[in-house]
Amino acid sequence: MKQVVIKWVKVTVNKVVNSIAFLPAVIAIIFLLLSFAMVEFDFSATGKNIKSNLHWLSLKDANTARSICSAIVGGILSLAVFSFSMVMILLNQAASQMSNRILGKLIGNRFQQIVLGFYIGTIVYALFLLSTIRDINSGIYVPAISTYLLIAFTITDIFLFIYFLHYITDSVKFETIIHRIYDSTKAEMNKKCLLKGDEVFTPDASEAIKILSYKSGLYQGFEKNGLISLCKKENVSVAFLQPVGTYLIKGTPILSVSFSESLPDNFEEKLHVLINIHRGQQISTGYFYGFSHLMEIAVKALSPGINDPGTAVISLHALGDLLAFRQGHFPEVHLRDEDGIIRVKVHEKSFGEMFADTILPIWDYGKKDRLIQKEMFNILTQLKLNSTEPLIDRLLSCVNAEKEKIQGNC
């Protein structure tokens, strides 16, 4: 029961943190708390003393303070609507011309969320400040310091908007989107592909029992520490039969368990809690999703409706660099406990499988395009230097054959 609750909390927290509303909500709350504190400071003895000594900080007319707050609320609200209308245009363009699976990457952009949060926070601050302004005889009780701070926030919003225009214009470029996917994928590979030598995945013997998928969905990995602890406690070893990112139908074998003694009745239920099967594709759960996204962008760019081989070439460059990194860096497939005993065997995609799943679809769509032929030959020639993968040689022969065929027709 404890593991079920922990898993639910992790999934829920992950969804909330990665949503577009999380960071703006946090920033808005900070601004709300700041407005409380500033109003209290304004009406404190220190605040009154500051306003008495600095006459330019004193707003003696409550109507002037209200007018400032009201004008700022209306102006920043318009600014926020305009700014994020541009974001929606970007998302629509990216979904129609690249791939709708990259929308999560664009929506989750932290800078856009910070700008939105600052806009909303300024509006919240101004509205709360507006409610504290009273018509009194002495202007010292008008929250002058808070009002001037609101003006400073507004000026900051204007500069943020100017930079946001530059930022969103740059974000529309397909090259920028591709490089962001590349950077995220490379970062995950740096975390997970730490070995210099390849570990061979060997499934458990046939007498091992098979554990079936408890629901349909994408296999997204497992809780590493929890699974190793469970296997050590029960003195068993498990071997996953599918790589991360595989779609599993309920009832499909997902792993095998080897044991020397009998298993407890609730062992399978404990395993299910530690295995993540859900929808959605996040590079943080499986770096191969980054490869798939780049491949989909290239294929979409080569479709007759888009016909943009230049974007496909940029994706091919990114894929070539990632594959080259994977040639010399390998993920750990044998996970051991504190005593050095192998408890978990992970099924990772080999270099050949990743190459076939990402490069071959691009070649299928772009084999008649001279730009693709040229860049494919360039990438394959470089990958061949440090690889014995026979598929590279076969594809390189196909590329040369297509080049000769076109040159012969000319």
Side-chain angles (χ1 to χ4, degrees), residues 292-326:
S292 299
H293 293 168
L294 292 171
M295 179 271 293
E296 291 176 1
I297 291 172
V299 169
K300 187 70 174 288
L302 292 171
S303 65
I306 305 299
N307 192 22
D308 183 12
T311 297
V313 167
I314 298 173
S315 294
L316 192 57
H317 290 167
L319 282 171
D321 191 72
L322 293 173
L323 287 170
F325 180 84
R326 180 63 174 78

PDB file of all heavy atoms in Angstrom, residues 292-326:
ATOM      1  N   SER A 292      13.359   9.493 -31.622  1.00  0.00           N
ATOM      2  CA  SER A 292      12.090   9.346 -32.352  1.00  0.00           C
ATOM      3  C   SER A 292      11.526  10.689 -32.773  1.00  0.00           C
ATOM      4  O   SER A 292      11.027  10.842 -33.894  1.00  0.00           O
ATOM      5  CB  SER A 292      11.065   8.605 -31.472  1.00  0.00           C
ATOM      6  OG  SER A 292      11.522   7.305 -31.152  1.00  0.00           O
ATOM      7  N   HIS A 293      11.610  11.685 -31.895  1.00  0.00           N
ATOM      8  CA  HIS A 293      11.095  13.011 -32.233  1.00  0.00           C
ATOM      9  C   HIS A 293      11.861  13.615 -33.403  1.00  0.00           C
ATOM     10  O   HIS A 293      11.266  14.203 -34.315  1.00  0.00           O
ATOM     11  CB  HIS A 293      11.184  13.928 -31.016  1.00  0.00           C
ATOM     12  CG  HIS A 293      10.268  13.527 -29.905  1.00  0.00           C
ATOM     13  ND1 HIS A 293      10.351  14.064 -28.634  1.00  0.00           N
ATOM     14  CD2 HIS A 293       9.247  12.638 -29.850  1.00  0.00           C
ATOM     15  CE1 HIS A 293       9.430  13.528 -27.872  1.00  0.00           C
ATOM     16  NE2 HIS A 293       8.750  12.662 -28.584  1.00  0.00           N
ATOM     17  N   LEU A 294      13.178  13.472 -33.384  1.00  0.00           N
ATOM     18  CA  LEU A 294      13.991  14.004 -34.485  1.00  0.00           C
ATOM     19  C   LEU A 294      13.683  13.273 -35.786  1.00  0.00           C
ATOM     20  O   LEU A 294      13.623  13.897 -36.861  1.00  0.00           O
ATOM     21  CB  LEU A 294      15.469  13.878 -34.139  1.00  0.00           C
ATOM     22  CG  LEU A 294      15.967  14.770 -32.993  1.00  0.00           C
ATOM     23  CD1 LEU A 294      17.392  14.396 -32.602  1.00  0.00           C
ATOM     24  CD2 LEU A 294      15.897  16.239 -33.379  1.00  0.00           C
ATOM     25  N   MET A 295      13.487  11.969 -35.698  1.00  0.00           N
ATOM     26  CA  MET A 295      13.139  11.201 -36.892  1.00  0.00           C
ATOM     27  C   MET A 295      11.784  11.639 -37.449  1.00  0.00           C
ATOM     28  O   MET A 295      11.619  11.823 -38.654  1.00  0.00           O
ATOM     29  CB  MET A 295      13.126   9.709 -36.564  1.00  0.00           C
ATOM     30  CG  MET A 295      12.752   8.788 -37.719  1.00  0.00           C
ATOM     31  SD  MET A 295      10.967   8.488 -37.824  1.00  0.00           S
ATOM     32  CE  MET A 295      10.687   7.558 -36.307  1.00  0.00           C
ATOM     33  N   GLU A 296      10.814  11.840 -36.568  1.00  0.00           N
ATOM     34  CA  GLU A 296       9.477  12.251 -37.014  1.00  0.00           C
ATOM     35  C   GLU A 296       9.505  13.636 -37.659  1.00  0.00           C
ATOM     36  O   GLU A 296       8.794  13.890 -38.630  1.00  0.00           O
ATOM     37  CB  GLU A 296       8.505  12.236 -35.833  1.00  0.00           C
ATOM     38  CG  GLU A 296       8.186  10.838 -35.332  1.00  0.00           C
ATOM     39  CD  GLU A 296       7.302  10.867 -34.109  1.00  0.00           C
ATOM     40  OE1 GLU A 296       6.935  11.980 -33.675  1.00  0.00           O
ATOM     41  OE2 GLU A 296       6.978   9.794 -33.590  1.00  0.00           O
ATOM     42  N   ILE A 297      10.331  14.541 -37.112  1.00  0.00           N
ATOM     43  CA  ILE A 297      10.459  15.877 -37.705  1.00  0.00           C
ATOM     44  C   ILE A 297      11.011  15.769 -39.119  1.00  0.00           C
ATOM     45  O   ILE A 297      10.525  16.425 -40.048  1.00  0.00           O
ATOM     46  CB  ILE A 297      11.366  16.763 -36.831  1.00  0.00           C
ATOM     47  CG1 ILE A 297      10.673  17.094 -35.507  1.00  0.00           C
ATOM     48  CG2 ILE A 297      11.726  18.055 -37.556  1.00  0.00           C
ATOM     49  CD1 ILE A 297      11.564  17.802 -34.515  1.00  0.00           C
ATOM     50  N   ALA A 298      12.024  14.928 -39.291  1.00  0.00           N
ATOM     51  CA  ALA A 298      12.626  14.765 -40.621  1.00  0.00           C
ATOM     52  C   ALA A 298      11.634  14.150 -41.600  1.00  0.00           C
ATOM     53  O   ALA A 298      11.507  14.609 -42.748  1.00  0.00           O
ATOM     54  CB  ALA A 298      13.882  13.904 -40.515  1.00  0.00           C
ATOM     55  N   VAL A 299      10.920  13.131 -41.170  1.00  0.00           N
ATOM     56  CA  VAL A 299       9.946  12.463 -42.051  1.00  0.00           C
ATOM     57  C   VAL A 299       8.819  13.417 -42.429  1.00  0.00           C
ATOM     58  O   VAL A 299       8.391  13.472 -43.587  1.00  0.00           O
ATOM     59  CB  VAL A 299       9.404  11.190 -41.363  1.00  0.00           C
ATOM     60  CG1 VAL A 299       8.215  10.626 -42.133  1.00  0.00           C
ATOM     61  CG2 VAL A 299      10.500  10.132 -41.263  1.00  0.00           C
ATOM     62  N   LYS A 300       8.341  14.202 -41.442  1.00  0.00           N
ATOM     63  CA  LYS A 300       7.280  15.156 -41.721  1.00  0.00           C
ATOM     64  C   LYS A 300       7.767  16.237 -42.698  1.00  0.00           C
ATOM     65  O   LYS A 300       7.035  16.657 -43.601  1.00  0.00           O
ATOM     66  CB  LYS A 300       6.819  15.805 -40.411  1.00  0.00           C
ATOM     67  CG  LYS A 300       5.598  16.713 -40.513  1.00  0.00           C
ATOM     68  CD  LYS A 300       4.340  15.904 -40.780  1.00  0.00           C
ATOM     69  CE  LYS A 300       3.093  16.774 -40.730  1.00  0.00           C
ATOM     70  NZ  LYS A 300       2.744  17.197 -39.363  1.00  0.00           N
ATOM     71  N   ALA A 301       9.017  16.668 -42.523  1.00  0.00           N
ATOM     72  CA  ALA A 301       9.571  17.690 -43.418  1.00  0.00           C
ATOM     73  C   ALA A 301       9.710  17.173 -44.845  1.00  0.00           C
ATOM     74  O   ALA A 301       9.617  17.946 -45.808  1.00  0.00           O
ATOM     75  CB  ALA A 301      10.928  18.157 -42.902  1.00  0.00           C
ATOM     76  N   LEU A 302       9.897  15.862 -45.012  1.00  0.00           N
ATOM     77  CA  LEU A 302      10.056  15.282 -46.346  1.00  0.00           C
ATOM     78  C   LEU A 302       8.728  14.896 -46.995  1.00  0.00           C
ATOM     79  O   LEU A 302       8.710  14.452 -48.144  1.00  0.00           O
ATOM     80  CB  LEU A 302      10.957  14.038 -46.273  1.00  0.00           C
ATOM     81  CG  LEU A 302      12.428  14.306 -45.930  1.00  0.00           C
ATOM     82  CD1 LEU A 302      13.155  13.002 -45.675  1.00  0.00           C
ATOM     83  CD2 LEU A 302      13.104  15.090 -47.041  1.00  0.00           C
ATOM     84  N   SER A 303       7.625  15.054 -46.267  1.00  0.00           N
ATOM     85  CA  SER A 303       6.320  14.709 -46.823  1.00  0.00           C
ATOM     86  C   SER A 303       5.956  15.681 -47.943  1.00  0.00           C
ATOM     87  O   SER A 303       6.413  16.835 -47.950  1.00  0.00           O
ATOM     88  CB  SER A 303       5.255  14.746 -45.734  1.00  0.00           C
ATOM     89  OG  SER A 303       5.096  16.068 -45.233  1.00  0.00           O
ATOM     90  N   PRO A 304       5.162  15.265 -48.918  1.00  0.00           N
ATOM     91  CA  PRO A 304       4.804  16.158 -50.034  1.00  0.00           C
ATOM     92  C   PRO A 304       4.115  17.440 -49.591  1.00  0.00           C
ATOM     93  O   PRO A 304       4.265  18.483 -50.222  1.00  0.00           O
ATOM     94  CB  PRO A 304       3.869  15.283 -50.879  1.00  0.00           C
ATOM     95  CG  PRO A 304       4.239  13.878 -50.541  1.00  0.00           C
ATOM     96  CD  PRO A 304       4.625  13.899 -49.100  1.00  0.00           C
ATOM     97  N   GLY A 305       3.354  17.373 -48.491  1.00  0.00           N
ATOM     98  CA  GLY A 305       2.644  18.562 -48.033  1.00  0.00           C
ATOM     99  C   GLY A 305       3.561  19.629 -47.480  1.00  0.00           C
ATOM    100  O   GLY A 305       3.258  20.822 -47.572  1.00  0.00           O
ATOM    101  N   ILE A 306       4.680  19.233 -46.873  1.00  0.00           N
ATOM    102  CA  ILE A 306       5.629  20.182 -46.286  1.00  0.00           C
ATOM    103  C   ILE A 306       6.774  20.464 -47.252  1.00  0.00           C
ATOM    104  O   ILE A 306       7.108  21.611 -47.540  1.00  0.00           O
ATOM    105  CB  ILE A 306       6.173  19.654 -44.951  1.00  0.00           C
ATOM    106  CG1 ILE A 306       5.009  19.316 -44.002  1.00  0.00           C
ATOM    107  CG2 ILE A 306       7.097  20.677 -44.314  1.00  0.00           C
ATOM    108  CD1 ILE A 306       4.122  20.475 -43.649  1.00  0.00           C
ATOM    109  N   ASN A 307       7.402  19.401 -47.749  1.00  0.00           N
ATOM    110  CA  ASN A 307       8.473  19.502 -48.750  1.00  0.00           C
ATOM    111  C   ASN A 307       9.574  20.461 -48.297  1.00  0.00           C
ATOM    112  O   ASN A 307       9.884  21.455 -48.951  1.00  0.00           O
ATOM    113  CB  ASN A 307       7.897  19.940 -50.112  1.00  0.00           C
ATOM    114  CG  ASN A 307       8.910  19.766 -51.237  1.00  0.00           C
ATOM    115  OD1 ASN A 307       9.835  18.981 -51.116  1.00  0.00           O
ATOM    116  ND2 ASN A 307       8.726  20.504 -52.315  1.00  0.00           N
ATOM    117  N   ASP A 308      10.185  20.141 -47.150  1.00  0.00           N
ATOM    118  CA  ASP A 308      11.232  20.985 -46.578  1.00  0.00           C
ATOM    119  C   ASP A 308      12.453  20.119 -46.253  1.00  0.00           C
ATOM    120  O   ASP A 308      12.706  19.781 -45.089  1.00  0.00           O
ATOM    121  CB  ASP A 308      10.712  21.678 -45.320  1.00  0.00           C
ATOM    122  CG  ASP A 308      11.727  22.631 -44.704  1.00  0.00           C
ATOM    123  OD1 ASP A 308      12.737  22.928 -45.372  1.00  0.00           O
ATOM    124  OD2 ASP A 308      11.511  23.064 -43.560  1.00  0.00           O
ATOM    125  N   PRO A 309      13.232  19.724 -47.257  1.00  0.00           N
ATOM    126  CA  PRO A 309      14.387  18.856 -47.003  1.00  0.00           C
ATOM    127  C   PRO A 309      15.451  19.512 -46.125  1.00  0.00           C
ATOM    128  O   PRO A 309      16.226  18.817 -45.474  1.00  0.00           O
ATOM    129  CB  PRO A 309      14.927  18.553 -48.409  1.00  0.00           C
ATOM    130  CG  PRO A 309      14.401  19.646 -49.276  1.00  0.00           C
ATOM    131  CD  PRO A 309      13.074  20.022 -48.700  1.00  0.00           C
ATOM    132  N   GLY A 310      15.498  20.839 -46.105  1.00  0.00           N
ATOM    133  CA  GLY A 310      16.475  21.519 -45.256  1.00  0.00           C
ATOM    134  C   GLY A 310      16.281  21.186 -43.788  1.00  0.00           C
ATOM    135  O   GLY A 310      17.253  20.955 -43.061  1.00  0.00           O
ATOM    136  N   THR A 311      15.017  21.174 -43.340  1.00  0.00           N
ATOM    137  CA  THR A 311      14.735  20.797 -41.953  1.00  0.00           C
ATOM    138  C   THR A 311      15.099  19.353 -41.704  1.00  0.00           C
ATOM    139  O   THR A 311      15.636  19.002 -40.638  1.00  0.00           O
ATOM    140  CB  THR A 311      13.248  21.036 -41.644  1.00  0.00           C
ATOM    141  OG1 THR A 311      12.954  22.426 -41.772  1.00  0.00           O
ATOM    142  CG2 THR A 311      12.904  20.593 -40.234  1.00  0.00           C
ATOM    143  N   ALA A 312      14.835  18.477 -42.675  1.00  0.00           N
ATOM    144  CA  ALA A 312      15.205  17.070 -42.542  1.00  0.00           C
ATOM    145  C   ALA A 312      16.712  16.908 -42.404  1.00  0.00           C
ATOM    146  O   ALA A 312      17.190  16.064 -41.631  1.00  0.00           O
ATOM    147  CB  ALA A 312      14.685  16.279 -43.744  1.00  0.00           C
ATOM    148  N   VAL A 313      17.473  17.711 -43.115  1.00  0.00           N
ATOM    149  CA  VAL A 313      18.930  17.648 -43.035  1.00  0.00           C
ATOM    150  C   VAL A 313      19.408  18.041 -41.634  1.00  0.00           C
ATOM    151  O   VAL A 313      20.312  17.414 -41.068  1.00  0.00           O
ATOM    152  CB  VAL A 313      19.565  18.559 -44.112  1.00  0.00           C
ATOM    153  CG1 VAL A 313      21.051  18.763 -43.848  1.00  0.00           C
ATOM    154  CG2 VAL A 313      19.364  17.960 -45.496  1.00  0.00           C
ATOM    155  N   ILE A 314      18.802  19.076 -41.057  1.00  0.00           N
ATOM    156  CA  ILE A 314      19.175  19.503 -39.706  1.00  0.00           C
ATOM    157  C   ILE A 314      18.885  18.393 -38.692  1.00  0.00           C
ATOM    158  O   ILE A 314      19.699  18.104 -37.801  1.00  0.00           O
ATOM    159  CB  ILE A 314      18.434  20.795 -39.326  1.00  0.00           C
ATOM    160  CG1 ILE A 314      18.821  21.938 -40.264  1.00  0.00           C
ATOM    161  CG2 ILE A 314      18.751  21.188 -37.885  1.00  0.00           C
ATOM    162  CD1 ILE A 314      18.006  23.197 -40.063  1.00  0.00           C
ATOM    163  N   SER A 315      17.730  17.740 -38.839  1.00  0.00           N
ATOM    164  CA  SER A 315      17.396  16.609 -37.963  1.00  0.00           C
ATOM    165  C   SER A 315      18.385  15.472 -38.150  1.00  0.00           C
ATOM    166  O   SER A 315      18.783  14.807 -37.185  1.00  0.00           O
ATOM    167  CB  SER A 315      15.975  16.122 -38.246  1.00  0.00           C
ATOM    168  OG  SER A 315      15.016  17.093 -37.902  1.00  0.00           O
ATOM    169  N   LEU A 316      18.778  15.239 -39.395  1.00  0.00           N
ATOM    170  CA  LEU A 316      19.734  14.174 -39.686  1.00  0.00           C
ATOM    171  C   LEU A 316      21.084  14.470 -39.042  1.00  0.00           C
ATOM    172  O   LEU A 316      21.759  13.560 -38.531  1.00  0.00           O
ATOM    173  CB  LEU A 316      19.880  14.021 -41.203  1.00  0.00           C
ATOM    174  CG  LEU A 316      20.624  12.785 -41.715  1.00  0.00           C
ATOM    175  CD1 LEU A 316      19.964  11.513 -41.214  1.00  0.00           C
ATOM    176  CD2 LEU A 316      20.679  12.800 -43.233  1.00  0.00           C
ATOM    177  N   HIS A 317      21.489  15.739 -39.040  1.00  0.00           N
ATOM    178  CA  HIS A 317      22.742  16.116 -38.368  1.00  0.00           C
ATOM    179  C   HIS A 317      22.666  15.801 -36.870  1.00  0.00           C
ATOM    180  O   HIS A 317      23.618  15.249 -36.294  1.00  0.00           O
ATOM    181  CB  HIS A 317      23.000  17.613 -38.555  1.00  0.00           C
ATOM    182  CG  HIS A 317      23.361  17.978 -39.960  1.00  0.00           C
ATOM    183  ND1 HIS A 317      23.375  19.289 -40.411  1.00  0.00           N
ATOM    184  CD2 HIS A 317      23.738  17.218 -41.022  1.00  0.00           C
ATOM    185  CE1 HIS A 317      23.735  19.302 -41.684  1.00  0.00           C
ATOM    186  NE2 HIS A 317      23.951  18.076 -42.070  1.00  0.00           N
ATOM    187  N   ALA A 318      21.550  16.172 -36.255  1.00  0.00           N
ATOM    188  CA  ALA A 318      21.387  15.923 -34.820  1.00  0.00           C
ATOM    189  C   ALA A 318      21.392  14.421 -34.524  1.00  0.00           C
ATOM    190  O   ALA A 318      22.034  13.966 -33.566  1.00  0.00           O
ATOM    191  CB  ALA A 318      20.094  16.567 -34.324  1.00  0.00           C
ATOM    192  N   LEU A 319      20.689  13.649 -35.340  1.00  0.00           N
ATOM    193  CA  LEU A 319      20.657  12.197 -35.143  1.00  0.00           C
ATOM    194  C   LEU A 319      22.043  11.589 -35.326  1.00  0.00           C
ATOM    195  O   LEU A 319      22.448  10.686 -34.578  1.00  0.00           O
ATOM    196  CB  LEU A 319      19.674  11.553 -36.126  1.00  0.00           C
ATOM    197  CG  LEU A 319      18.195  11.672 -35.786  1.00  0.00           C
ATOM    198  CD1 LEU A 319      17.340  11.192 -36.943  1.00  0.00           C
ATOM    199  CD2 LEU A 319      17.879  10.879 -34.519  1.00  0.00           C
ATOM    200  N   GLY A 320      22.776  12.067 -36.324  1.00  0.00           N
ATOM    201  CA  GLY A 320      24.116  11.545 -36.549  1.00  0.00           C
ATOM    202  C   GLY A 320      25.028  11.773 -35.361  1.00  0.00           C
ATOM    203  O   GLY A 320      25.791  10.884 -34.960  1.00  0.00           O
ATOM    204  N   ASP A 321      24.940  12.948 -34.752  1.00  0.00           N
ATOM    205  CA  ASP A 321      25.777  13.248 -33.596  1.00  0.00           C
ATOM    206  C   ASP A 321      25.385  12.388 -32.397  1.00  0.00           C
ATOM    207  O   ASP A 321      26.252  11.889 -31.670  1.00  0.00           O
ATOM    208  CB  ASP A 321      25.660  14.733 -33.245  1.00  0.00           C
ATOM    209  CG  ASP A 321      26.699  15.163 -32.230  1.00  0.00           C
ATOM    210  OD1 ASP A 321      27.876  15.250 -32.597  1.00  0.00           O
ATOM    211  OD2 ASP A 321      26.331  15.386 -31.064  1.00  0.00           O
ATOM    212  N   LEU A 322      24.080  12.197 -32.180  1.00  0.00           N
ATOM    213  CA  LEU A 322      23.621  11.369 -31.067  1.00  0.00           C
ATOM    214  C   LEU A 322      24.022   9.907 -31.262  1.00  0.00           C
ATOM    215  O   LEU A 322      24.429   9.226 -30.312  1.00  0.00           O
ATOM    216  CB  LEU A 322      22.102  11.487 -30.912  1.00  0.00           C
ATOM    217  CG  LEU A 322      21.575  12.856 -30.469  1.00  0.00           C
ATOM    218  CD1 LEU A 322      20.058  12.883 -30.516  1.00  0.00           C
ATOM    219  CD2 LEU A 322      22.067  13.201 -29.070  1.00  0.00           C
ATOM    220  N   LEU A 323      23.906   9.420 -32.485  1.00  0.00           N
ATOM    221  CA  LEU A 323      24.307   8.038 -32.759  1.00  0.00           C
ATOM    222  C   LEU A 323      25.809   7.862 -32.585  1.00  0.00           C
ATOM    223  O   LEU A 323      26.271   6.820 -32.092  1.00  0.00           O
ATOM    224  CB  LEU A 323      23.884   7.646 -34.179  1.00  0.00           C
ATOM    225  CG  LEU A 323      22.385   7.406 -34.387  1.00  0.00           C
ATOM    226  CD1 LEU A 323      22.059   7.272 -35.868  1.00  0.00           C
ATOM    227  CD2 LEU A 323      21.929   6.161 -33.631  1.00  0.00           C
ATOM    228  N   ALA A 324      26.579   8.859 -32.987  1.00  0.00           N
ATOM    229  CA  ALA A 324      28.027   8.788 -32.800  1.00  0.00           C
ATOM    230  C   ALA A 324      28.376   8.723 -31.313  1.00  0.00           C
ATOM    231  O   ALA A 324      29.289   7.984 -30.901  1.00  0.00           O
ATOM    232  CB  ALA A 324      28.699   9.987 -33.463  1.00  0.00           C
ATOM    233  N   PHE A 325      27.660   9.477 -30.488  1.00  0.00           N
ATOM    234  CA  PHE A 325      27.886   9.419 -29.039  1.00  0.00           C
ATOM    235  C   PHE A 325      27.522   8.040 -28.493  1.00  0.00           C
ATOM    236  O   PHE A 325      28.241   7.482 -27.654  1.00  0.00           O
ATOM    237  CB  PHE A 325      27.038  10.497 -28.354  1.00  0.00           C
ATOM    238  CG  PHE A 325      27.192  10.518 -26.859  1.00  0.00           C
ATOM    239  CD1 PHE A 325      28.237  11.207 -26.270  1.00  0.00           C
ATOM    240  CD2 PHE A 325      26.288   9.853 -26.043  1.00  0.00           C
ATOM    241  CE1 PHE A 325      28.384  11.229 -24.890  1.00  0.00           C
ATOM    242  CE2 PHE A 325      26.427   9.862 -24.672  1.00  0.00           C
ATOM    243  CZ  PHE A 325      27.482  10.559 -24.089  1.00  0.00           C
ATOM    244  N   ARG A 326      26.426   7.493 -29.001  1.00  0.00           N
ATOM    245  CA  ARG A 326      25.980   6.171 -28.530  1.00  0.00           C
ATOM    246  C   ARG A 326      26.949   5.065 -28.922  1.00  0.00           C
ATOM    247  O   ARG A 326      27.039   4.032 -28.237  1.00  0.00           O
ATOM    248  CB  ARG A 326      24.582   5.896 -29.105  1.00  0.00           C
ATOM    249  CG  ARG A 326      23.973   4.565 -28.707  1.00  0.00           C
ATOM    250  CD  ARG A 326      23.741   4.472 -27.208  1.00  0.00           C
ATOM    251  NE  ARG A 326      23.042   3.247 -26.887  1.00  0.00           N
ATOM    252  CZ  ARG A 326      23.639   2.048 -26.827  1.00  0.00           C
ATOM    253  NH1 ARG A 326      24.939   1.945 -27.035  1.00  0.00           N
ATOM    254  NH2 ARG A 326      22.940   0.966 -26.543  1.00  0.00           N
TER     255      ARG A 326
END
